Amino acid sequence: VLASLAFMLFVSMSAPVQAAEVKTSYFTLELPGDWIQPQATQEVNGMVSVVFANKKDGTAVSINVMPSSMSAAEISKETTSNMKKGGINVGDPVEKDGMSEVSFNQAGGVGMMWFGSNGKECAVTSIIGKTLDSGKELIKLVKPVDAKLFPKF
């Protein structure tokens, strides 16, 4: 998860994948005009990793879903521990609306991660930017196969 977050932060926007609709085995998303998908969706052995970038404000959104029986609380505690070891300023996980959420600061940006689980899969949805606003607006457009995996705003 930490590697996915680091990738999200340093992803190059020089050759974005032009996609109006992003469809995975876990969700579908119709990308608004201000958003691009800098790289193609990665889907390997049941794990899906997708990164989006806002062309206007530089906000990045990462969605990672993988097979796992871990609870949202378990994966958020493990992830925050690894982030702290990596020198990232991260808060403690907070349980809210069936999800575990964590705030963090890195590279001059504010960030938030939401962890969801349904007992078979877990998802980590992340936003980093000057604010969380445009990222939350994008996440509202996610049409999940299982709503337990994704934050609701």
Side-chain angles (χ1 to χ4, degrees), residues 57-110:
D57 67 13
T59 298
V61 172
S62 171
I63 300 174
N64 297 282
V65 188
M66 64 217 78
S68 176
S69 60
M70 291 177 72
S71 70
E74 290 169 323
I75 196 160
S76 66
K77 287 176 187 171
E78 182 178 305
T79 302
T80 55
S81 175
N82 290 336
M83 290 173 76
K84 287 176 183 178
K85 288 176 188 173
I88 298 172
N89 181 11
V90 61
D92 292 325
V94 175
E95 300 296 316
K96 186 176 176 186
D97 299 326
M99 307 281 294
S100 186
E101 58 182 51
V102 176
S103 62
F104 64 96
N105 296 301
Q106 187 178 21
V110 296

Side-chain angles (χ1 to χ4, degrees), residues 20-56:
E21 181 183 66
V22 177
K23 187 173 177 114
T24 75
S25 52
Y26 299 107
F27 68 90
T28 303
L29 172 63
E30 208 51 58
L31 273 182
D34 292 345
W35 288 88
I36 60 170
Q37 185 180 1
Q39 272 200 327
T41 301
Q42 303 296 309
E43 198 159 354
V44 180
N45 296 326
M47 180 177 171
V48 170
S49 182
V50 188
V51 176
F52 305 104
N54 187 294
K55 296 183 290 188
K56 284 188 177 179

